[in-house]
């Protein structure tokens, strides 16, 4: 898996996120199947992965991440096809597919 700055998806994503997340990592992880997953990582402590529901994105957590980050290393990601992650029209958006992408993200990030 590769990790790159979110600028590969455009400055809009980073600029908007920095309005509510002044510090921390804003990045894109490329999964083994080539899907790019946008995520934020902030804080320190035990790892905590926040997963949004269908038809939302990681911004759902913008008010809770600052409360959790003093106690946890918080990861929040845009699942494939949502937010600033890759949208592949041919890829299913069902629960097993999204769960597999989440497992892949967790494994490749070493969480």
């Amino acid at each position: 898996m590769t990790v790159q700055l979110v600028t590969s998806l455009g400055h809009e994503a980073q600029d908007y996120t920095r309005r509510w997340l002044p510090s921390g990592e804003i990045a894109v992880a490329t999964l083994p199947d080539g899907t790019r997953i946008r995520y934020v990582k902030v804080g320190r402590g035990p790892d905590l992965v926040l997963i949004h529901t269908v038809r939302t994105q990681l911004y759902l957590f913008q008010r809770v991440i600052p409360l959790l980050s003093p106690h946890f290393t918080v990861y929040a990601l845009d699942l494939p096809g949502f937010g600033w992650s890759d949208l592949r029209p041919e890829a299913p958006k069902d629960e097993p597919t999204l769960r597999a992408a989440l497992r892949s993200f967790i494994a490749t990030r070493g969480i």
Side-chain angles (χ1 to χ4, degrees):
M1 179 194 75
T2 60
V3 176
Q4 53 191 315
L5 295 176
V6 79
T7 54
S8 65
L9 295 177
H11 290 284
E12 298 87 9
Q14 185 169 357
D15 292 346
Y16 181 82
T17 304
R18 284 292 175 220
R19 291 183 202 161
W20 60 268
L21 188 70
S23 64
E25 183 178 327
I26 304 170
V28 175
T30 303
L31 302 182
D33 69 357
T35 302
R36 295 179 305 162
I37 301 289
R38 177 182 181 263
Y39 70 95
V40 298
K41 175 186 172 189
V42 65
R44 59 183 157 176
D47 294 329
L48 177 65
V49 179
L50 303 178
I51 308 159
H52 64 79
T53 58
V54 175
R55 298 189 189 139
T56 61
Q57 55 189 317
L58 70 82
Y59 296 133
L60 180 68
F61 303 111
Q62 63 183 299
R63 295 184 191 268
V64 73
I65 289 173
L67 301 173
L68 294 170
S69 62
H71 311 286
F72 298 95
T73 299
V74 179
Y75 293 83
L77 60 140
D78 286 331
L79 292 169
F82 301 95
W84 291 91
S85 289
D86 280 348
L87 172 61
R88 293 183 171 181
E90 74 284 357
K93 308 294 183 291
D94 60 353
E95 186 271 334
T97 302
L98 297 176
R99 183 170 12 108
L102 176 63
R103 277 196 314 263
S104 183
F105 173 82
I106 289 170
T108 55
R109 289 294 299 152
I111 301 172

